[in-house]
Amino acid sequence: MSFVFVVDQHRKPLDPVHPGRARYLLTSGHAAVLRRYPFTLILKEAKPDAEPAPLRVKIDPGSKTTGLAVVNDTTGAVLWAGELSHRGDMIKEGLRKRAGVRRSRRQRHTRYRQPRFANRTRPKGWLAPSLKSRVDNVLSWVARIRRWCPIGAISMELARFDPQALANPEIAGAEYQRGTLFGYELREYLLEKWGRQCAYCHQRNVPLQMEHIVPKARGGTNRVTNLTVACGPCNTKKGTRTAEEFGFPQIQAQAQKPLTDAAAVNSTRWALYEQLKATRLSVETGTGGRTKFNRSIREIPKTHWLDAANVGASTPGTVHWQGVHPLLIVAKGRQDRQMCHVNTIGFPVSKAKGGSRVQGFTTGDMVRAIVPATSKKVGNLCWTSRDQV
Ligand SMILES: [Zn+2]
């Protein structure tokens, strides 16, 4: 059950409440709606001073969608969840269009901005605008959740696998077994190293198996340098042949090259981690291997928000997730800087840019249309809530 955020008269976050309790608070007039998204109530009367139990916000950052979950570590309940869709592709496309407009103006000898030379250095920690938007989206939602909900700690998935766990290349027989935490870390490591595709037929999006380059029957070891990933058919076809005998001598050489630690963490996640630390809450980091391990042993299906709920070593023994419906969030951006829209060739097709408000409304406003049943072309819009956060 997704819980409802509640704040007191001074907008201090209180314990989130069950939806039934929230309904009672509203119908009895003890509370009013403060925010629609995320649904938040404000109490009308003073509340006795009981310190709310601090909760944990958990994040699984993704390139297209980021999972968010608010979890009570003591009870294991997922109190709130969200799935945040990013707009990296739209930003990239917007910049491409802007470059096209400038180029066409230069060609047409209209007034234009001079192209800049590549003589500028980028500040340390610079991220491409499409990547920065992902970091900013997550940060603004963490800030929003912290405003309406008592958060005491943050967990985020930082690395795909744990380089420390794989530091010892010799894998003991028991540890190598699938289903252990080490097994999951190893699998994530191999997927990253071999580009998430079958090493032999390069097929993607098929179930991949851990595969011995020199088969164990031929004296191959369980060392990381003797392992690769292969699809089922290739694995069967290869049988007890070595990769060289199978016609892939280069695989043996590639397996000897170690994957650097840096490959475990991408720049976007690292930037997010650095910024989350600035909130001065304790930030726990987990690996993709551990998230999968946590989810599998608890037999929880895979979704972005459930992945988020399973991030990190702090995940409670039982996670109560049934009945929770994630809030589906779509990043909309703010205004754009393009002065007028252009067609595919770059010619202006709209009027010059106007203000960001149209008849009092702006992007992201929640509106209700009041349209009389007798006519379709008349009516009014009015606000239902103004989330100016
Ligand atoms: Zn294959």
Side-chain angles (χ1 to χ4, degrees):
M1 195 69 69
S2 288
F3 276 47
V4 177
F5 296 146
V6 183
V7 295
D8 70 6
Q9 286 170 308
H10 309 291
R11 301 204 173 196
K12 184 172 162 272
L14 303 171
D15 289 320
V17 297
H18 187 275
R21 173 83 184 150
R23 211 170 293 123
Y24 165 75
L25 287 172
L26 280 173
T27 48
S28 62
H30 290 305
V33 177
L34 180 67
R35 282 283 182 280
R36 285 293 189 93
Y37 301 100
F39 197 60
T40 308
L41 301 184
I42 182 164
L43 293 183
K44 291 182 181 172
E45 293 152 23
K47 198 178 172 281
D49 261 347
E51 267 308 301
L55 303 169
R56 180 182 288 274
V57 61
K58 306 182 88 171
I59 308 160
D60 173 30
S63 63
K64 288 210 164 58
T65 309
T66 290
L68 298 162
V70 174
V71 177
N72 186 331
D73 283 344
T74 337
T75 64
V78 178
L79 299 180
W80 183 88
E83 290 193 345
L84 171 54
S85 306
H86 299 295
R87 53 189 296 274
D89 293 346
M90 286 156 73
I91 290 173
K92 202 173 167 190
E93 178 61 13
L95 290 172
R96 194 194 62 76
K97 267 170 86 177
R98 186 181 72 180
V101 172
R102 288 181 176 164
R103 204 171 299 125
S104 93
R105 292 186 71 87
R106 286 175 206 130
Q107 293 299 316
R108 284 182 282 130
H109 304 296
T110 4
R111 59 197 155 81
Y112 64 90
R113 206 195 71 178
Q114 291 284 348
R116 283 178 174 161
F117 293 102
N119 60 357
R120 292 172 295 161
T121 51
R122 283 167 175 166
K124 200 164 167 276
W126 179 90
L127 277 179
S130 58
L131 305 183
K132 187 169 181 297
S133 86
R134 282 178 208 154
V135 176
D136 292 347
N137 290 161
V138 177
L139 287 173
S140 75
W141 268 91
V142 168
R144 204 163 285 168
I145 293 167
R146 285 184 69 198
R147 206 173 303 143
W148 313 127
C149 180
I151 297 296
I154 301 175
S155 295
M156 75 165 284
E157 189 182 298
L158 181 65
R160 295 228 179 263
F161 56 88
D162 181 6
Q164 297 301 313
L166 297 158
N168 179 11
E170 199 65 63
I171 306 154
E175 282 179 323
Y176 171 62
Q177 293 301 313
R178 274 208 61 166
T180 59
L181 174 58
F182 185 83
Y184 279 89
E185 298 281 12
L186 179 62
R187 197 177 146 76
E188 285 301 307
Y189 171 85
L190 289 174
L191 285 171
E192 199 63 28
K193 182 169 175 178
W194 295 95
R196 294 178 187 272
Q197 57 183 346
C198 173
Y200 301 108
C201 69
H202 304 296
Q203 220 176 320
R204 286 175 179 278
N205 302 318
V206 287
L208 296 171
Q209 302 167 350
M210 259 193 238
E211 204 265 335
H212 290 82
I213 295 170
V214 177
K216 286 182 85 175
R218 302 278 299 275
T221 65
N222 274 340
R223 292 174 76 108
V224 176
T225 48
N226 189 37
L227 293 172
T228 181
V229 285
C231 68
C234 286
N235 202 353
T236 319
K237 216 194 297 172
K238 182 168 169 277
T240 53
R241 283 180 285 179
T242 65
E244 197 165 359
E245 288 164 0
F246 190 45
F248 295 88
Q250 73 281 11
I251 288 203
Q252 244 137 343
Q254 198 183 337
Q256 293 299 325
K257 287 186 202 139
L259 190 57
T260 54
D261 287 4
V265 183
N266 66 37
S267 57
T268 320
R269 286 181 175 200
W270 191 257
L272 178 62
Y273 172 63
E274 291 291 330
Q275 302 250 18
L276 286 175
K277 275 202 298 189
T279 60
R280 309 185 76 170
L281 293 177
S282 84
V283 183
E284 177 202 33
T285 60
T287 62
R290 184 181 279 279
T291 304
K292 268 192 192 164
F293 171 71
N294 283 344
R295 196 161 47 72
S296 305
I297 58 166
R298 290 170 181 80
E299 294 178 344
I300 297 175
K302 176 171 173 57
T303 62
H304 293 290
W305 65 275
L306 281 172
D307 264 347
N310 284 289
V311 164
S314 70
T315 308
T318 346
V319 176
H320 301 287
W321 57 273
Q322 286 87 351
V324 176
H325 293 283
L327 177 64
L328 303 177
I329 309 156
V330 180
K332 289 284 186 196
R334 298 188 185 86
Q335 301 87 31
D336 66 59
R337 298 175 64 176
Q338 193 170 340
M339 296 312 284
C340 85
H341 292 290
V342 292
N343 63 14
T344 46
I345 310 161
F347 281 99
V349 291
S350 71
K351 281 190 289 186
K353 182 174 166 179
S356 62
R357 282 182 182 280
V358 177
Q359 298 185 14
F361 297 100
T362 186
T363 311
D365 280 352
M366 295 297 305
V367 294
R368 186 166 40 146
I370 304 163
V371 182
T374 48
S375 166
K376 280 181 184 167
K377 298 249 166 103
V378 293
N380 274 312
L381 291 176
C382 67
W383 280 289
T384 61
S385 119
R386 299 276 305 272
D387 272 31
Q388 305 287 339
V389 190

